Amino acid sequence: MELSTKHALQQLWAHRGLLKYLVRLSMLAQYKKSFVGVFWLLLMPVFNVLVWVTLSVGGVFDPGETEIPYPAYVLLSTSIWQLFVVLFDQVSKSISAYSSVMVQAAFPRVIVTFEKVVVQLINFLIPLLLNIAVLLAMGVSLSWSALLFPFALIPLVLFGWGLGMIFSLIEIVAIDIYTLVHRVITTLLIFATPVVYTDTIESPIIQQVMRYNPLTYLLVGARDVLIRGELSNPVGYFWVGLGVLVFFSLAFLFFIRAERKIIEKIVI
């Protein structure tokens, strides 16, 4: 494992120029044909807030008590959630997106997953600034500990990245399994995570599901660091984060060992 991982990291460093080029290309291309361009990064979070606030005010569901105004709570939570979902989505499609290039050029294939992660982290900066502005405008005091928020996001990023690497390979050999899991993660899993409601919601079934959902600890932990300046459940966050680190390491190793055989599937 050590030799394979070390070699992969060396290859990544040797091809850092390619990484910079791919990131630049993606950043220029993603809004090239869009009328509002980069403002989509602001419009989508605002749209999400309007939907969930309307449902809450209309009595469709009770999100539970939030320690900050509910619009700010939903905006922050959905922004963090979208970072995870888009990371998984983009990384899981990275091999198919670059398949034509991969069969013609020799370079470390893991670099295309790394490019997707870098692009999405850059994209996340705009919603993050919007969140901070909304929190301050609504009277939420942010402590200096809120500066640790980017570090608190690391386990969530690694989890999305690791899942994406595994399913980027599955997409090539078992599209039906990929489609099923992709749909569950991108559309249904939000209801098993305290994104639009709190972990104090009255439903005992949802509370039980959230308790065993690792994303609960990662999302709530990152959110707490920003608005509270501390973790509300440091033990849970630590153990889930440790598990994510092990999972990512195994996913990374699996990817660099399996991607060559997967590329052969593309050729065939």
Side-chain angles (χ1 to χ4, degrees), residues 52-264:
W52 291 109
V53 169
T54 300
L55 292 175
S56 174
V57 172
V60 176
F61 78 106
D62 181 9
E65 292 295 328
T66 58
E67 57 187 301
I68 61 175
Y70 185 64
Y73 178 89
V74 174
L75 178 63
L76 177 57
S77 299
T78 54
S79 296
I80 298 173
W81 176 256
Q82 283 301 313
L83 173 63
F84 166 76
V85 168
V86 176
L87 272 175
F88 165 75
D89 176 66
Q90 292 298 305
V91 173
S92 68
K93 295 176 180 176
S94 57
I95 287 186
S96 60
Y98 287 101
S99 58
S100 59
V101 178
M102 288 182 174
V103 298
Q104 299 178 39
F107 62 92
R109 273 69 178 191
V110 72
I111 203 169
V112 300
T113 73
F114 196 73
E115 175 258 324
K116 299 298 183 185
V117 174
V118 173
V119 169
Q120 296 312 316
L121 289 177
I122 294 173
N123 285 341
F124 181 68
L125 290 176
I126 293 178
L128 175 59
L129 294 176
L130 174 64
N131 273 279
I132 292 174
V134 169
L135 288 169
L136 294 175
M138 291 190 169
V140 179
S141 299
L142 302 181
S143 68
W144 286 105
S145 300
L147 294 174
L148 297 175
F149 175 69
F151 299 98
L153 281 176
I154 290 176
L156 191 72
V157 170
L158 292 180
F159 194 28
W161 188 359
L163 279 174
M165 283 193 291
I166 291 175
F167 281 93
S168 67
L169 303 177
I170 293 177
E171 184 194 20
I172 305 301
V173 297
I175 187 64
D176 51 346
I177 296 176
Y178 167 82
T179 302
L180 176 63
V181 176
H182 182 275
R183 187 157 298 177
V184 168
I185 291 178
T186 57
T187 60
L188 298 180
L189 201 54
I190 187 175
F191 300 106
T193 313
V195 178
V196 296
Y197 44 72
T198 71
D199 51 8
T200 61
I201 192 170
E202 293 183 1
S203 172
I205 297 177
I206 295 180
Q207 285 190 5
Q208 193 72 5
V209 170
M210 287 192 297
R211 189 173 299 128
Y212 292 101
N213 178 6
L215 286 168
T216 296
Y217 302 92
L218 302 181
L219 186 142
V220 172
R223 186 174 63 207
D224 284 348
V225 168
L226 184 60
I227 62 177
R228 287 184 177 184
E230 61 181 8
L231 295 168
S232 58
N233 185 358
V235 175
Y237 178 85
F238 171 79
W239 285 112
V240 172
L242 184 61
V244 165
L245 183 60
V246 173
F247 167 75
F248 176 79
S249 300
L250 294 175
F252 184 85
L253 179 62
F254 174 72
F255 183 92
I256 61 178
R257 289 190 173 182
E259 51 89 9
R260 186 172 300 176
K261 295 181 180 179
I262 298 298
I263 298 303
E264 293 175 359

Side-chain angles (χ1 to χ4, degrees), residues 22-39:
L22 291 176
V23 169
R24 181 174 177 272
L25 189 66
S26 293
M27 294 300 298
L28 291 175
Q30 65 180 342
Y31 301 111
K32 185 177 181 180
K33 297 181 180 181
S34 172
F35 179 72
V36 294
V38 74
F39 287 103

